[in-house]
Structures are given as structure tokens and as C-alpha cells.
Amino acid sequence: MYGALEVVNVRHCLRADVVYCGRAANGRTASPLANNFRMRDRSDEAREEAIEKFKRWFWQELHRDSPARREFLRIAARVKAGDTVRLGCWCAPLHCHCHAIAAAEHSYKAYPEKFPNIEGAVMTVFQSSLVT
């Protein structure tokens, strides 16, 4: 039985079990899943641009043995084991890179019979979301 994956705002969700996915800030250590592509301004267009850049970077990271890939697989394994995992960032509830991470994890749950391993599911479905 699968657990759940939620995106929460670290300003408002003070739970100890939040998996921080942001850059180093306010005494927090940078996450391997941080979006290092900063928004040029606060517009929706700039937000989507930063998320798209993150997706492309994340896609590359999933193809190699990287800290981001290892952290992603750790999170996905917890969800598969039935845990509720909360991805924490500063943007939520606005659209952010954590939603892209959640989409990659959800893709595995949507197609388990087609993909014998999590890497195959994530890479196949996540890649299709990069087509523009």
C-alpha cells in the first residue's frame, strides 16, 4: 500500500518530519533537491521558467548516481512503504519545483505494472513532461 506525498510550506508546517527541498536558508542546510534556478522576478512566467529549468536539471540528475537521485529514491521508497512524506519549500501553496518532484514520484505509482523499477517509471513519465 502506497503512502502519500504532499508539498508544504516550511514557514507554516512546523512538523519535524518535513523533508526540506530548498536552498540553504534560515539555518537550514541546502537539500540535494533544491531548485538552484532563481526567479528573475515574482511573476508567474518567471516562476514557471525556474521550474522548467529545475525539471531539466532534475532529469539529468536522475540519470546518474547523484545526491539528488539518491534523495529522490529514498523519498519514493518511503512513499512505497506507506509513509506520508511532506516535501517542504518556501513557495507552497504556489506552484514550485517540489510539485515537479511529486509528479515524478506519482508517475511511478500510476504505472507500477509497466515498470519493474522506480527509475524506469520516473524517467519515462517525467521525460514526457519535459516535451515543450
PDB file of all heavy atoms in Angstrom, residues 33 55-66 68-70 72-73 104 119 122-123 126:
ATOM      1  N   LEU A  33      17.802  18.284  -3.415  1.00  0.00           N
ATOM      2  CA  LEU A  33      16.685  18.521  -4.334  1.00  0.00           C
ATOM      3  C   LEU A  33      16.329  20.000  -4.457  1.00  0.00           C
ATOM      4  O   LEU A  33      15.288  20.347  -5.006  1.00  0.00           O
ATOM      5  CB  LEU A  33      15.453  17.730  -3.873  1.00  0.00           C
ATOM      6  CG  LEU A  33      15.618  16.214  -3.886  1.00  0.00           C
ATOM      7  CD1 LEU A  33      14.400  15.542  -3.269  1.00  0.00           C
ATOM      8  CD2 LEU A  33      15.866  15.711  -5.297  1.00  0.00           C
ATOM      9  N   LYS A  55      13.342  21.143 -13.769  1.00  0.00           N
ATOM     10  CA  LYS A  55      12.956  19.855 -14.343  1.00  0.00           C
ATOM     11  C   LYS A  55      14.048  19.299 -15.244  1.00  0.00           C
ATOM     12  O   LYS A  55      14.368  18.107 -15.186  1.00  0.00           O
ATOM     13  CB  LYS A  55      11.664  19.985 -15.155  1.00  0.00           C
ATOM     14  CG  LYS A  55      10.418  20.080 -14.340  1.00  0.00           C
ATOM     15  CD  LYS A  55       9.234  20.167 -15.306  1.00  0.00           C
ATOM     16  CE  LYS A  55       7.930  20.329 -14.631  1.00  0.00           C
ATOM     17  NZ  LYS A  55       6.817  20.403 -15.606  1.00  0.00           N
ATOM     18  N   ARG A  56      14.607  20.157 -16.067  1.00  0.00           N
ATOM     19  CA  ARG A  56      15.668  19.700 -16.969  1.00  0.00           C
ATOM     20  C   ARG A  56      16.899  19.244 -16.181  1.00  0.00           C
ATOM     21  O   ARG A  56      17.501  18.219 -16.502  1.00  0.00           O
ATOM     22  CB  ARG A  56      16.030  20.799 -17.966  1.00  0.00           C
ATOM     23  CG  ARG A  56      14.890  21.086 -18.934  1.00  0.00           C
ATOM     24  CD  ARG A  56      15.247  22.136 -19.959  1.00  0.00           C
ATOM     25  NE  ARG A  56      14.113  22.709 -20.627  1.00  0.00           N
ATOM     26  CZ  ARG A  56      13.207  22.085 -21.360  1.00  0.00           C
ATOM     27  NH1 ARG A  56      13.284  20.792 -21.503  1.00  0.00           N
ATOM     28  NH2 ARG A  56      12.211  22.710 -21.940  1.00  0.00           N
ATOM     29  N   TRP A  57      17.266  20.007 -15.175  1.00  0.00           N
ATOM     30  CA  TRP A  57      18.391  19.619 -14.318  1.00  0.00           C
ATOM     31  C   TRP A  57      18.085  18.310 -13.594  1.00  0.00           C
ATOM     32  O   TRP A  57      18.916  17.390 -13.561  1.00  0.00           O
ATOM     33  CB  TRP A  57      18.678  20.735 -13.310  1.00  0.00           C
ATOM     34  CG  TRP A  57      19.672  20.342 -12.264  1.00  0.00           C
ATOM     35  CD1 TRP A  57      21.030  20.376 -12.372  1.00  0.00           C
ATOM     36  CD2 TRP A  57      19.381  19.825 -10.964  1.00  0.00           C
ATOM     37  NE1 TRP A  57      21.602  19.908 -11.204  1.00  0.00           N
ATOM     38  CE2 TRP A  57      20.605  19.568 -10.330  1.00  0.00           C
ATOM     39  CE3 TRP A  57      18.191  19.562 -10.273  1.00  0.00           C
ATOM     40  CZ2 TRP A  57      20.692  19.058  -9.041  1.00  0.00           C
ATOM     41  CZ3 TRP A  57      18.272  19.047  -8.989  1.00  0.00           C
ATOM     42  CH2 TRP A  57      19.516  18.798  -8.387  1.00  0.00           C
ATOM     43  N   PHE A  58      16.895  18.204 -13.025  1.00  0.00           N
ATOM     44  CA  PHE A  58      16.489  17.027 -12.261  1.00  0.00           C
ATOM     45  C   PHE A  58      16.491  15.784 -13.145  1.00  0.00           C
ATOM     46  O   PHE A  58      16.944  14.719 -12.748  1.00  0.00           O
ATOM     47  CB  PHE A  58      15.111  17.281 -11.648  1.00  0.00           C
ATOM     48  CG  PHE A  58      14.646  16.234 -10.681  1.00  0.00           C
ATOM     49  CD1 PHE A  58      15.466  15.758  -9.681  1.00  0.00           C
ATOM     50  CD2 PHE A  58      13.350  15.755 -10.755  1.00  0.00           C
ATOM     51  CE1 PHE A  58      15.020  14.807  -8.774  1.00  0.00           C
ATOM     52  CE2 PHE A  58      12.889  14.810  -9.859  1.00  0.00           C
ATOM     53  CZ  PHE A  58      13.725  14.331  -8.864  1.00  0.00           C
ATOM     54  N   TRP A  59      16.014  15.943 -14.367  1.00  0.00           N
ATOM     55  CA  TRP A  59      16.006  14.844 -15.328  1.00  0.00           C
ATOM     56  C   TRP A  59      17.431  14.319 -15.525  1.00  0.00           C
ATOM     57  O   TRP A  59      17.670  13.118 -15.528  1.00  0.00           O
ATOM     58  CB  TRP A  59      15.392  15.323 -16.630  1.00  0.00           C
ATOM     59  CG  TRP A  59      15.536  14.403 -17.790  1.00  0.00           C
ATOM     60  CD1 TRP A  59      16.180  14.666 -18.955  1.00  0.00           C
ATOM     61  CD2 TRP A  59      15.026  13.072 -17.921  1.00  0.00           C
ATOM     62  NE1 TRP A  59      16.109  13.586 -19.798  1.00  0.00           N
ATOM     63  CE2 TRP A  59      15.405  12.596 -19.178  1.00  0.00           C
ATOM     64  CE3 TRP A  59      14.297  12.239 -17.077  1.00  0.00           C
ATOM     65  CZ2 TRP A  59      15.082  11.316 -19.631  1.00  0.00           C
ATOM     66  CZ3 TRP A  59      13.971  10.966 -17.524  1.00  0.00           C
ATOM     67  CH2 TRP A  59      14.358  10.527 -18.787  1.00  0.00           C
ATOM     68  N   GLN A  60      18.394  15.211 -15.664  1.00  0.00           N
ATOM     69  CA  GLN A  60      19.794  14.804 -15.827  1.00  0.00           C
ATOM     70  C   GLN A  60      20.310  14.111 -14.565  1.00  0.00           C
ATOM     71  O   GLN A  60      21.040  13.122 -14.636  1.00  0.00           O
ATOM     72  CB  GLN A  60      20.664  16.005 -16.167  1.00  0.00           C
ATOM     73  CG  GLN A  60      20.382  16.584 -17.532  1.00  0.00           C
ATOM     74  CD  GLN A  60      21.119  17.888 -17.789  1.00  0.00           C
ATOM     75  OE1 GLN A  60      21.773  18.425 -16.906  1.00  0.00           O
ATOM     76  NE2 GLN A  60      21.002  18.388 -19.004  1.00  0.00           N
ATOM     77  N   GLU A  61      19.932  14.643 -13.416  1.00  0.00           N
ATOM     78  CA  GLU A  61      20.384  14.063 -12.147  1.00  0.00           C
ATOM     79  C   GLU A  61      19.840  12.654 -11.950  1.00  0.00           C
ATOM     80  O   GLU A  61      20.510  11.800 -11.370  1.00  0.00           O
ATOM     81  CB  GLU A  61      19.974  14.946 -10.965  1.00  0.00           C
ATOM     82  CG  GLU A  61      20.650  16.292 -10.943  1.00  0.00           C
ATOM     83  CD  GLU A  61      22.159  16.168 -10.857  1.00  0.00           C
ATOM     84  OE1 GLU A  61      22.670  15.669  -9.837  1.00  0.00           O
ATOM     85  OE2 GLU A  61      22.841  16.562 -11.821  1.00  0.00           O
ATOM     86  N   LEU A  62      18.635  12.388 -12.422  1.00  0.00           N
ATOM     87  CA  LEU A  62      18.050  11.058 -12.285  1.00  0.00           C
ATOM     88  C   LEU A  62      18.783  10.014 -13.122  1.00  0.00           C
ATOM     89  O   LEU A  62      18.661   8.821 -12.885  1.00  0.00           O
ATOM     90  CB  LEU A  62      16.564  11.078 -12.662  1.00  0.00           C
ATOM     91  CG  LEU A  62      15.649  11.790 -11.679  1.00  0.00           C
ATOM     92  CD1 LEU A  62      14.228  11.848 -12.226  1.00  0.00           C
ATOM     93  CD2 LEU A  62      15.671  11.140 -10.308  1.00  0.00           C
ATOM     94  N   HIS A  63      19.556  10.468 -14.091  1.00  0.00           N
ATOM     95  CA  HIS A  63      20.296   9.565 -14.965  1.00  0.00           C
ATOM     96  C   HIS A  63      21.677   9.205 -14.435  1.00  0.00           C
ATOM     97  O   HIS A  63      22.408   8.457 -15.082  1.00  0.00           O
ATOM     98  CB  HIS A  63      20.461  10.187 -16.361  1.00  0.00           C
ATOM     99  CG  HIS A  63      19.286   9.954 -17.229  1.00  0.00           C
ATOM    100  ND1 HIS A  63      18.177  10.754 -17.191  1.00  0.00           N
ATOM    101  CD2 HIS A  63      19.032   8.992 -18.143  1.00  0.00           C
ATOM    102  CE1 HIS A  63      17.298  10.312 -18.066  1.00  0.00           C
ATOM    103  NE2 HIS A  63      17.793   9.240 -18.654  1.00  0.00           N
ATOM    104  N   ARG A  64      22.073   9.775 -13.336  1.00  0.00           N
ATOM    105  CA  ARG A  64      23.399   9.467 -12.817  1.00  0.00           C
ATOM    106  C   ARG A  64      23.316   9.268 -11.307  1.00  0.00           C
ATOM    107  O   ARG A  64      22.311   9.619 -10.687  1.00  0.00           O
ATOM    108  CB  ARG A  64      24.397  10.572 -13.175  1.00  0.00           C
ATOM    109  CG  ARG A  64      24.076  11.928 -12.565  1.00  0.00           C
ATOM    110  CD  ARG A  64      25.015  13.022 -13.086  1.00  0.00           C
ATOM    111  NE  ARG A  64      24.927  14.213 -12.275  1.00  0.00           N
ATOM    112  CZ  ARG A  64      25.672  14.457 -11.205  1.00  0.00           C
ATOM    113  NH1 ARG A  64      26.587  13.604 -10.826  1.00  0.00           N
ATOM    114  NH2 ARG A  64      25.522  15.577 -10.526  1.00  0.00           N
ATOM    115  N   ASP A  65      24.347   8.685 -10.757  1.00  0.00           N
ATOM    116  CA  ASP A  65      24.369   8.487  -9.314  1.00  0.00           C
ATOM    117  C   ASP A  65      24.729   9.814  -8.670  1.00  0.00           C
ATOM    118  O   ASP A  65      25.900  10.178  -8.563  1.00  0.00           O
ATOM    119  CB  ASP A  65      25.397   7.403  -8.943  1.00  0.00           C
ATOM    120  CG  ASP A  65      25.378   7.115  -7.457  1.00  0.00           C
ATOM    121  OD1 ASP A  65      24.342   7.368  -6.802  1.00  0.00           O
ATOM    122  OD2 ASP A  65      26.401   6.641  -6.935  1.00  0.00           O
ATOM    123  N   SER A  66      23.710  10.553  -8.294  1.00  0.00           N
ATOM    124  CA  SER A  66      23.910  11.891  -7.730  1.00  0.00           C
ATOM    125  C   SER A  66      23.194  11.990  -6.393  1.00  0.00           C
ATOM    126  O   SER A  66      22.292  11.196  -6.094  1.00  0.00           O
ATOM    127  CB  SER A  66      23.336  12.942  -8.689  1.00  0.00           C
ATOM    128  OG  SER A  66      21.927  12.826  -8.744  1.00  0.00           O
ATOM    129  N   ALA A  68      20.970  14.128  -5.618  1.00  0.00           N
ATOM    130  CA  ALA A  68      19.542  14.382  -5.901  1.00  0.00           C
ATOM    131  C   ALA A  68      18.821  13.077  -6.207  1.00  0.00           C
ATOM    132  O   ALA A  68      17.711  12.843  -5.715  1.00  0.00           O
ATOM    133  CB  ALA A  68      19.398  15.360  -7.063  1.00  0.00           C
ATOM    134  N   ARG A  69      19.409  12.243  -7.017  1.00  0.00           N
ATOM    135  CA  ARG A  69      18.789  10.961  -7.361  1.00  0.00           C
ATOM    136  C   ARG A  69      18.651  10.080  -6.128  1.00  0.00           C
ATOM    137  O   ARG A  69      17.598   9.473  -5.895  1.00  0.00           O
ATOM    138  CB  ARG A  69      19.619  10.240  -8.420  1.00  0.00           C
ATOM    139  CG  ARG A  69      19.042   8.899  -8.838  1.00  0.00           C
ATOM    140  CD  ARG A  69      19.880   8.332  -9.991  1.00  0.00           C
ATOM    141  NE  ARG A  69      19.319   7.107 -10.486  1.00  0.00           N
ATOM    142  CZ  ARG A  69      19.766   5.895 -10.157  1.00  0.00           C
ATOM    143  NH1 ARG A  69      20.793   5.776  -9.348  1.00  0.00           N
ATOM    144  NH2 ARG A  69      19.194   4.831 -10.656  1.00  0.00           N
ATOM    145  N   ARG A  70      19.691  10.010  -5.314  1.00  0.00           N
ATOM    146  CA  ARG A  70      19.630   9.180  -4.104  1.00  0.00           C
ATOM    147  C   ARG A  70      18.561   9.690  -3.147  1.00  0.00           C
ATOM    148  O   ARG A  70      17.811   8.897  -2.567  1.00  0.00           O
ATOM    149  CB  ARG A  70      20.998   9.121  -3.432  1.00  0.00           C
ATOM    150  CG  ARG A  70      22.010   8.276  -4.215  1.00  0.00           C
ATOM    151  CD  ARG A  70      23.281   8.018  -3.429  1.00  0.00           C
ATOM    152  NE  ARG A  70      24.019   9.223  -3.088  1.00  0.00           N
ATOM    153  CZ  ARG A  70      24.912   9.804  -3.875  1.00  0.00           C
ATOM    154  NH1 ARG A  70      25.175   9.304  -5.072  1.00  0.00           N
ATOM    155  NH2 ARG A  70      25.550  10.879  -3.474  1.00  0.00           N
ATOM    156  N   PHE A  72      15.867  11.445  -3.986  1.00  0.00           N
ATOM    157  CA  PHE A  72      14.582  11.158  -4.614  1.00  0.00           C
ATOM    158  C   PHE A  72      14.183   9.697  -4.405  1.00  0.00           C
ATOM    159  O   PHE A  72      13.042   9.393  -4.038  1.00  0.00           O
ATOM    160  CB  PHE A  72      14.630  11.481  -6.109  1.00  0.00           C
ATOM    161  CG  PHE A  72      13.369  11.081  -6.811  1.00  0.00           C
ATOM    162  CD1 PHE A  72      12.243  11.876  -6.737  1.00  0.00           C
ATOM    163  CD2 PHE A  72      13.307   9.890  -7.511  1.00  0.00           C
ATOM    164  CE1 PHE A  72      11.066  11.499  -7.355  1.00  0.00           C
ATOM    165  CE2 PHE A  72      12.140   9.509  -8.137  1.00  0.00           C
ATOM    166  CZ  PHE A  72      11.013  10.307  -8.059  1.00  0.00           C
ATOM    167  N   LEU A  73      15.102   8.778  -4.622  1.00  0.00           N
ATOM    168  CA  LEU A  73      14.797   7.357  -4.461  1.00  0.00           C
ATOM    169  C   LEU A  73      14.500   7.008  -3.008  1.00  0.00           C
ATOM    170  O   LEU A  73      13.663   6.155  -2.723  1.00  0.00           O
ATOM    171  CB  LEU A  73      15.932   6.496  -5.014  1.00  0.00           C
ATOM    172  CG  LEU A  73      16.113   6.569  -6.534  1.00  0.00           C
ATOM    173  CD1 LEU A  73      17.340   5.775  -6.958  1.00  0.00           C
ATOM    174  CD2 LEU A  73      14.871   6.095  -7.264  1.00  0.00           C
ATOM    175  N   ALA A 104       7.062  13.383 -10.451  1.00  0.00           N
ATOM    176  CA  ALA A 104       7.951  12.272 -10.812  1.00  0.00           C
ATOM    177  C   ALA A 104       7.666  11.063  -9.934  1.00  0.00           C
ATOM    178  O   ALA A 104       7.583   9.931 -10.420  1.00  0.00           O
ATOM    179  CB  ALA A 104       9.408  12.718 -10.672  1.00  0.00           C
ATOM    180  N   GLU A 119      13.258   3.694 -11.181  1.00  0.00           N
ATOM    181  CA  GLU A 119      13.986   4.559 -12.091  1.00  0.00           C
ATOM    182  C   GLU A 119      13.329   4.584 -13.466  1.00  0.00           C
ATOM    183  O   GLU A 119      13.172   5.628 -14.068  1.00  0.00           O
ATOM    184  CB  GLU A 119      15.453   4.118 -12.224  1.00  0.00           C
ATOM    185  CG  GLU A 119      16.243   4.291 -10.963  1.00  0.00           C
ATOM    186  CD  GLU A 119      16.222   3.042 -10.090  1.00  0.00           C
ATOM    187  OE1 GLU A 119      15.372   2.156 -10.311  1.00  0.00           O
ATOM    188  OE2 GLU A 119      17.041   2.970  -9.174  1.00  0.00           O
ATOM    189  N   VAL A 122       9.970   6.641 -13.352  1.00  0.00           N
ATOM    190  CA  VAL A 122      10.199   8.074 -13.191  1.00  0.00           C
ATOM    191  C   VAL A 122      10.770   8.671 -14.462  1.00  0.00           C
ATOM    192  O   VAL A 122      10.298   9.679 -14.962  1.00  0.00           O
ATOM    193  CB  VAL A 122      11.145   8.328 -11.993  1.00  0.00           C
ATOM    194  CG1 VAL A 122      11.633   9.755 -11.975  1.00  0.00           C
ATOM    195  CG2 VAL A 122      10.422   7.994 -10.706  1.00  0.00           C
ATOM    196  N   MET A 123      11.760   8.033 -15.029  1.00  0.00           N
ATOM    197  CA  MET A 123      12.416   8.605 -16.200  1.00  0.00           C
ATOM    198  C   MET A 123      11.496   8.639 -17.407  1.00  0.00           C
ATOM    199  O   MET A 123      11.481   9.613 -18.139  1.00  0.00           O
ATOM    200  CB  MET A 123      13.696   7.829 -16.497  1.00  0.00           C
ATOM    201  CG  MET A 123      14.752   8.081 -15.449  1.00  0.00           C
ATOM    202  SD  MET A 123      16.227   7.148 -15.782  1.00  0.00           S
ATOM    203  CE  MET A 123      17.147   7.453 -14.294  1.00  0.00           C
ATOM    204  N   PHE A 126       8.450  11.242 -16.442  1.00  0.00           N
ATOM    205  CA  PHE A 126       8.941  12.582 -16.203  1.00  0.00           C
ATOM    206  C   PHE A 126       9.491  13.191 -17.484  1.00  0.00           C
ATOM    207  O   PHE A 126       9.276  14.351 -17.766  1.00  0.00           O
ATOM    208  CB  PHE A 126      10.026  12.555 -15.114  1.00  0.00           C
ATOM    209  CG  PHE A 126      10.459  13.914 -14.659  1.00  0.00           C
ATOM    210  CD1 PHE A 126       9.600  14.729 -13.945  1.00  0.00           C
ATOM    211  CD2 PHE A 126      11.721  14.383 -14.939  1.00  0.00           C
ATOM    212  CE1 PHE A 126       9.994  15.981 -13.510  1.00  0.00           C
ATOM    213  CE2 PHE A 126      12.129  15.627 -14.507  1.00  0.00           C
ATOM    214  CZ  PHE A 126      11.264  16.431 -13.803  1.00  0.00           C
TER     215      PHE A 126
END
